[in-house]
Structure formats: C-alpha cells, structure tokens
Amino acid sequence: MIQENVTEDATGLKHWIFEKLIELGISEQSAQYLNMLILLVGLLIVIFLIDIIIRKLLTGTFSQFAKRSKTNFDDLLISNKVPTNIAHIIPLLVAIEFVPDVFIDFGDFENIIEKGLKVFAIILTLWIARSILNTLKDYLKTLPRFKDKPIDSYIQVFMIFAWLGGIMSAIAIITGIPFLKFLTGLGAISAVIILVFKDTILGFVASIQVSINDMVRIGDWITFEKYGADGDVTEITLATVKVQNFDKTITTIPTYALISESFKNWRGMTSSEGRRIKRALNIKQDSIKCLLENDIENLKKIELLTPYLEARQNDISKYNKNNNINKAIAINGRNLTNIGVFRKYIQTYIENHSAINKDMTIMVRQLAPTPQGLPIEIYAFSSDKRWVNYEYIMADIFDHVLASVSYFDLEIFELPTKFSNT
C-alpha cells in the first residue's frame, strides 16, 4: 500500500511539473526533456542524501558496536568498508524504483539506465563480497593456526570466479542474451579462456598442493637459487610467493615453481633443537707424521688431551711390547699420529663447547684427500639457531681450531701467492 502511494505521488509530481511547463508556454517536446531533467536532478539529490544518511547511520552503529565488542572482527569490518558498501544498497533500490518514472517518455534512455543500474548492482555485490572476504582474511591471520596459511590464494581464487561470473552476467544484461544461453556460447571459446588464464590455473593448483602438503608457510626461510631467493616468505598468493631476502630486497617467485622445481626450506632446522655446523679445513699432507715419545709428552700438557694420551700410550706400549715390535723406526707397530691426535682434540673441544647441542650428532671426520690437502671436517649442531649467533659460534670454534694447528706440527694448506718463472 505504501509503495503504491509513493508511485502515485511520483507520477502526480511528474505530470504536475509537465503541466506547469506547458502553462509557461514551453513546447510539448521541450517540456518533456525539461521534465525529465528536473526529475533526474531531483532523484540524484534524493539518492545522494539517502546514501549519506544511511552510510552515517550504518558506520556509526558499527563503530559503537565495535567499541563495546571484545573481538576485533567488527573493527576489521569497518576498516574494510563493509558498512559503507552495504549502505549503497538502499540508494540503488530507490534509483531502480524511480528511474522508470523519470524516463517514462524516453524508453530508450530508460532501458539504458536500467541496464546500467543492474550492472552496478552486480559490481556492488562484488564489492561487498570482496570487503567481507578481506575482513575474514585479516581476522584469520590474527589466529595462530591460520597465521602461516596461504589464505590470500583461496580468496583470490574465489574473487576471480566471482568477477568472471559478474562480468558474464553484465555482458548478458547489456546484450539482452539469457545468462544460460550466454554460458553455452562461452563454451566455444573455453580453450582461449584456459590459455589466457593458464598462469592463474597453475597458481591455483599449486597453492592447493602447497597448502595440503605443507610445503611452505608464511615466515619460512627458503632458498631458491634459480630465482635468487634466500630469505623469509612474507606472502603467498595465487600467482606469486614473495620472499624478503636477508639484504631486505624482495624476490617474487611463481607459485607453481614451488611444486615444479627444487628449493630448500629451512623450517626443519628452525623447528629442530640445533643448527648444523658443517665445515672443513685442509691440512698439508706433508706435515702429517707419527709422534715420537717426546712429542707425546709435549702434547700431554694440553689438558683436554692428557687422559686420552695416557690411556692410548699405555695401550700402544703394551701391544708393541707383547708383539716384540722394533721401535727403532717409528712406523713399526702401532703409533699415534699428529693428525689423529689433532682430530681427537677437536672432537673433545667441541664436546665441551657450551654452545654445542650435546644431544645431537658431534663428529670430526677425515674426508678423502684432495689436491688442496687432507680435509678435516667438523660436523655438529649449534644450540642457538639465530643467524648472527650461529655465525659467531661457528667462527669462535674455527678461530680456536686454526690457532691450535701449529701445536700439533701441522700446517694449513694455502694456495701459493707467487709462482716461479720457468
């Protein structure tokens, strides 16, 4: 009943303005145009005022509710302009209702404006959906269990399909073709659509696999040599993964590259009890020798080696004596070597180092000889996994190891800096 009264009032107003213009001596055709223009301006003013009033009411109500609420979800609704977008619905409905009265004498204009309003209604629906989804995304990122999940990818996928549906609906409205018939015709160009959205489709599949297989999370440290990436993952979207390198530069990697190529994720290290130290120093092979009695006595002065040397010296002496070994030549029988004792010293030193995790593998091993000497590799795990502290601990260990080499009559291999002329 109210709707009918409003329509009758609008129709009466339209005729009243038209009749007044005729009374002023304006031609009928001109009066129709002026009547349409006056009604259009009046409708725009009314729509503008309604939009302002509704927007202020909604945003004010939401703001008051957000202040009293304990959750931050309503605050995010306001920051993502959900109330503002919803406020546009009532002015749009008013426009759709009264446009036929404004353009009643101009059927072509009325048809164009009505189609435009329907297209705007589709766009407004998409705006509201996007703002709600962005609010949901921001809220989920505040929750610990969703903080490292690629939520952006899923929202982007939904919005891509929503925009595609919206665009197709808009085209169907503009052309006047029924939506189902339009979709049927669209199947003929599906191959072109797949080609155009190839990267998007690949990214969508990749983001699902990355999430399901838990390959990468936001905050993970990854190394991707092909793309020059070495740093923390800051964002995972449908098409790209952003990595902030340690030099503060940003590297962008295609999402599908994470499942099609090899990269290194350091999460296993950060979630473990230690960070691996694996580094070798090369010993000159001609400095390696068997130890004589006086050499052993001198090395006994090194406190970390004293118990080991005494025990080994007794075992070796008993063996050589029981087997009547001629020790006139050092190589006969069993012997201690400076490289072996040095290796034992490093092992003992690392086992007593306060920054090394004693519950993880500790090993000092000899690698295969090379033209650059005999590698002695230290394999252990630092308790502190932070990069700066880890580098300091590793440097501290090798400072000591390099300084101790000379006490065992060993030499570090170095490439010669000068070559003689031939």
Side-chain angles (χ1 to χ4, degrees):
M1 190 68 180
I2 295 174
Q3 181 66 31
E4 291 177 358
N5 291 334
V6 172
T7 305
E8 288 175 2
D9 291 341
T11 305
L13 178 63
K14 177 182 74 69
H15 287 299
W16 181 82
I17 295 172
F18 178 76
E19 290 170 359
K20 288 295 181 183
L21 291 172
I22 294 294
E23 290 177 4
L24 293 172
I26 300 173
S27 65
E28 185 174 338
Q29 185 177 6
S30 299
Q32 286 179 342
Y33 278 103
L34 284 173
N35 181 50
M36 181 267 290
L37 184 60
I38 292 169
L39 291 173
L40 179 60
V41 172
L43 180 60
L44 290 174
I45 292 172
V46 170
I47 290 172
F48 180 73
L49 292 174
I50 292 174
D51 186 68
I52 291 176
I53 294 169
I54 297 298
R55 190 166 68 247
K56 285 185 178 295
L57 285 173
L58 275 179
T59 53
T61 304
F62 267 83
S63 297
Q64 290 297 322
F65 182 76
K67 289 179 182 178
R68 298 173 185 173
S69 175
K70 295 181 180 180
T71 178
N72 66 336
F73 185 77
D74 35 30
D75 299 298
L76 294 172
L77 285 172
I78 296 171
S79 63
N80 284 291
K81 299 182 178 180
V82 174
T84 303
N85 290 331
I86 292 175
H88 295 314
I89 295 175
I90 294 178
L92 177 62
L93 294 175
V94 172
I96 292 173
E97 178 63 32
F98 288 101
V99 158
D101 294 318
V102 174
F103 296 97
I104 193 169
D105 297 321
F106 302 90
D108 292 338
F109 284 170
E110 179 186 349
N111 187 39
I112 292 171
I113 298 299
E114 283 185 342
K115 286 182 178 180
L117 289 174
K118 289 179 181 178
V119 170
F120 179 73
I122 293 171
I123 295 173
L124 181 59
T125 303
L126 292 172
W127 282 351
I128 294 171
R130 183 184 62 183
S131 56
I132 292 174
L133 287 174
N134 285 336
T135 301
L136 185 62
K137 175 193 71 176
D138 295 339
Y139 178 71
L140 289 176
K141 284 187 174 181
T142 63
L143 303 178
R145 55 179 181 167
F146 292 103
K147 197 172 184 179
D148 55 359
K149 298 296 185 292
I151 302 170
D152 300 83
S153 299
Y154 302 125
I155 290 177
Q156 286 177 354
V157 170
F158 180 85
M159 286 308 301
I160 284 173
F161 283 108
W163 276 105
L164 282 174
I167 291 170
M168 289 187 290
S169 299
I171 294 173
I173 289 170
I174 293 170
T175 58
I177 302 172
F179 185 73
L180 292 176
K181 188 175 180 181
F182 180 78
L183 283 179
T184 305
L186 197 64
I189 58 170
S190 58
V192 177
I193 293 175
I194 291 173
L195 182 63
V196 171
F197 293 101
K198 181 189 72 172
D199 290 340
T200 303
I201 295 170
L202 287 173
F204 172 55
V205 174
S207 63
I208 292 175
Q209 289 185 321
V210 166
S211 178
I212 292 175
N213 297 323
D214 200 20
M215 296 170 64
V216 176
R217 301 175 189 167
I218 294 173
D220 281 358
W221 168 19
I222 69 170
T223 302
F224 209 139
E225 294 181 0
K226 178 179 178 179
Y227 294 93
D230 186 16
D232 298 326
V233 176
T234 58
E235 184 178 312
I236 302 174
T237 64
L238 185 64
T240 59
V241 174
K242 287 186 180 179
V243 178
Q244 184 175 44
N245 301 310
F246 295 124
D247 59 0
K248 300 306 178 184
T249 58
I250 302 293
T251 299
T252 303
I253 303 170
T255 306
Y256 58 80
L258 296 177
I259 62 172
S260 61
E261 299 178 42
S262 176
F263 69 97
K264 184 183 289 186
N265 190 332
W266 295 83
R267 191 199 312 158
M269 179 273 295
T270 55
S271 60
S272 69
E273 297 300 320
R275 183 170 179 178
R276 188 181 69 174
I277 297 172
K278 184 176 181 290
R279 183 181 290 182
L281 66 159
N282 294 330
I283 302 296
K284 287 181 68 174
Q285 296 182 52
D286 58 5
S287 68
I288 298 173
K289 65 178 183 179
C290 293
L291 293 175
L292 302 176
E293 288 293 330
N294 60 328
D295 296 324
I296 296 173
E297 292 303 319
N298 286 331
L299 290 175
K300 282 183 181 179
K301 298 175 183 178
I302 301 173
E303 293 182 353
L304 288 178
L305 283 177
T306 303
Y308 168 76
L309 288 175
E310 288 178 349
R312 292 293 293 156
Q313 191 177 29
N314 288 334
D315 291 341
I316 290 172
S317 296
K318 288 180 181 178
Y319 175 85
N320 290 335
K321 184 177 181 180
N322 293 336
N323 290 276
N324 296 318
I325 302 298
N326 180 10
K327 293 303 295 177
I329 300 177
I331 198 173
N332 289 338
R334 293 173 61 183
N335 301 280
L336 289 170
T337 62
N338 59 347
I339 190 73
V341 175
F342 176 63
R343 190 159 39 83
K344 179 61 179 178
Y345 172 74
I346 300 173
Q347 178 87 22
T348 308
Y349 172 75
I350 292 175
E351 288 173 349
N352 287 275
H353 199 287
S354 60
I356 296 299
N357 189 329
K358 310 304 187 300
D359 296 326
M360 301 183 77
T361 304
I362 299 176
M363 178 172 57
V364 179
R365 61 176 180 167
Q366 185 182 118
L367 302 181
T370 69
Q372 287 76 40
L374 179 67
I376 300 296
E377 184 184 77
I378 295 174
Y379 191 101
F381 289 85
S382 163
S383 298
D384 196 329
K385 295 170 284 185
R386 291 170 294 179
W387 187 20
V388 174
N389 295 351
Y390 163 79
E391 292 290 347
Y392 177 83
I393 292 166
M394 186 162 56
D396 180 69
I397 290 173
F398 276 86
D399 288 346
H400 182 87
V401 170
L402 289 169
S404 64
V405 169
S406 59
Y407 287 88
F408 297 85
D409 291 331
L410 293 168
E411 295 180 35
I412 300 293
F413 177 86
E414 293 181 350
L415 288 172
T417 57
K418 296 181 180 180
F419 295 90
S420 59
N421 296 324
T422 57

